[in-house]
Amino acid sequence: MRRLWTVLLAALLVFTTAGPANAAEPPRGPDGDAFYTPPTPLPAGADGDVVWWRPLPDSGSTRGYLVLYRSRSATDTPIAVSGRVLVPAKPWTGAGPRPIVSVASGTRGIGDRCAPSKFQPDYEKPLFVDAMLSRGWAVAITDYEGLGTPGTHTYVVGRSEGHTVIDAARAATRLPAAGLAAGGPVAFSGYSQGGGGAAWAGELAPSYAPELHVAGITAGGTPADLNVVAKSLDGGIGFGFLLLSALGLDAAYPELDLPAYLNDRGRTLYETQRDACVEAVFGYAFGHIADYTTANPLTTPKWQARLAENELGTRPPRAPIFLFHGSLDEIIPLSQAQTLRREYCAAGVDVTWGTYVGEHVTTLAFSAGDVVNYLGDRFAGKPARADC
């Protein structure tokens, strides 16, 4: 009799602590653009929890899922962010859980229609995402804050981007349909805007997501110092990216009050280009800040303080990192990437450094194979080459 009561008590304990079998299964989201509008209020949960999801068309070799997940803004406000989780159809045969690469996309624009999960062509897919999937790794791709979801995209705002990249990896393991286990190796990878997002994820992960096993980071064409980048873009071919950056910073930090500095031409741009995608930026080539403002906001104490907050290098990552840049980059200055390399090296980070003979766009293509090989070595447990 005592043994029977012991068995019954154990069964009751398991039942009451485990909960229903499907308790962790998030709901399916609505179809169409309604998927990107989160419920109000946002359901309670932890950073990286899936709010809802739906399957993407099966490619045969890859299973895909559209997800809406919890994350945090640059000012630590809970937000919902959309993104994708891609998983090879073939079972993982390597040691331990299947690795996950959280890919931070390069510039798509700031309008909802430009979200990476909507935007075509997906220029990163043939360059390295497909290669990652072919190696058996899962890939999570965030849409960032405000791309697809409500609000203006916080373009190049580091803390926001880092949070969303990290939480995309968490969300991948919290979607039962994806079949991905927590605790396996994770990597952050990106180029251009994505280089900033990946590097920020690497810097924030030790405090924001200490449970993640970050095996490596790749960050190329990285806007590490927005002050240096802004001075280079003012009057340059990539001036349109500076306009996007001003809109992104203003969206993240309302006290910056960008409209207060704009002239009539600037106010027209502010009202009409909030949905611009990347192809629009080259229509502003060789423009100047003075063309759109009555006073340069970037020189004010408020803007300088926020720009300083968004400078990489003061929170060195613990994971090894592959930093790379084009020697002829006309958009993001090589000099400030070299400064980031020196800062990481001084902090004891295992930095592998690479330069490619190319400008901003071609360097993305030239570096793709090295990016995938670098991550492959990190997932295999090989030591990183340090170029410090």
Side-chain angles (χ1 to χ4, degrees):
M1 180 65 72
R2 180 178 295 176
R3 183 178 180 184
L4 175 62
W5 277 110
T6 301
V7 172
L8 290 174
L9 183 61
L12 179 62
L13 181 63
V14 169
F15 178 79
T16 56
T17 56
N22 63 347
E25 180 74 33
R28 296 276 188 119
D31 292 332
D33 283 343
F35 183 93
Y36 294 86
T37 302
T40 304
L42 193 63
D47 300 324
D49 281 357
V50 177
V51 177
W52 57 43
W53 68 285
R54 72 171 188 238
L56 293 170
D58 195 334
S59 71
S61 61
T62 303
R63 295 176 284 113
Y65 309 91
L66 188 64
V67 294
L68 189 75
Y69 63 92
R70 288 180 60 100
S71 190
R72 290 191 171 267
S73 71
T75 54
D76 279 330
T77 301
I79 56 174
V81 179
S82 54
R84 288 166 291 162
V85 176
L86 308 176
V87 184
K90 290 184 178 179
W92 172 247
T93 58
R98 188 191 296 269
I100 301 171
V101 183
S102 188
V103 170
S105 297
T107 300
R108 298 298 199 270
I110 59 172
D112 286 344
R113 63 192 177 92
C114 323
S117 63
K118 298 180 179 182
F119 190 83
Q120 295 298 325
D122 185 352
Y123 49 81
E124 285 144 343
K125 182 177 184 294
L127 289 175
F128 53 82
V129 170
D130 284 346
M132 293 171 179
L133 293 168
S134 71
R135 292 202 178 199
W137 312 334
V139 177
I141 309 172
T142 182
D143 283 342
Y144 299 123
E145 178 182 357
L147 271 183
T149 48
T152 300
H153 172 40
T154 51
Y155 182 70
V156 303
V157 175
R159 191 171 293 273
S160 169
E161 292 182 350
H163 288 160
T164 62
V165 171
I166 291 169
D167 287 327
R170 284 169 156 168
T173 66
R174 298 177 192 175
L175 179 65
L180 300 171
V186 171
F188 307 129
S189 180
Y191 184 80
S192 192
Q193 178 190 7
W200 268 98
E203 290 199 2
L204 293 175
S207 58
Y208 183 68
E211 82 282 3
L212 291 185
H213 167 39
V214 183
I217 307 157
T218 70
T222 304
D225 187 330
L226 298 185
N227 256 316
V228 174
V229 175
K231 290 174 182 176
S232 176
L233 291 176
D234 192 17
I237 191 171
F239 177 71
F241 294 103
L242 181 55
L243 296 177
L244 294 186
S245 301
L247 291 169
L249 287 159
D250 183 67
Y253 311 113
E255 81 277 4
L256 295 182
D257 193 15
L258 177 61
Y261 300 90
L262 301 178
N263 59 22
D264 288 344
R265 187 178 180 187
R267 283 191 291 271
T268 298
L269 182 148
Y270 184 85
E271 295 298 332
T272 61
Q273 296 301 309
R274 305 284 285 278
D275 65 344
C277 291
V278 63
E279 69 274 6
V281 301
F282 296 105
Y284 298 92
F286 306 112
H288 293 82
I289 293 172
D291 297 338
Y292 299 92
T293 62
T294 56
N296 185 349
L298 300 184
T299 63
T300 66
K302 286 192 298 186
W303 280 77
Q304 280 295 305
R306 290 303 192 182
L307 289 171
E309 284 182 27
N310 285 277
E311 184 175 344
L312 285 163
T314 59
R315 315 155 200 78
R318 293 179 187 166
I321 186 168
F322 175 34
L323 287 176
F324 59 96
H325 218 88
S327 60
L328 305 174
D329 196 318
E330 78 288 17
I331 305 296
I332 309 295
L334 172 63
S335 62
Q336 49 93 59
Q338 292 170 323
T339 298
L340 181 63
R341 172 196 181 186
R342 290 192 296 270
E343 290 172 344
Y344 280 171
C345 284
V349 180
D350 288 332
V351 179
T352 301
W353 173 257
T355 53
Y356 297 84
V357 180
E359 42 70 63
H360 192 69
V361 173
T362 55
T363 297
L364 172 62
F366 295 158
S367 63
D370 291 339
V371 164
V372 176
N373 288 335
Y374 178 87
L375 294 180
D377 286 344
R378 303 293 77 73
F379 288 147
K382 297 180 181 179
R385 185 188 81 237
D387 294 326
C388 293

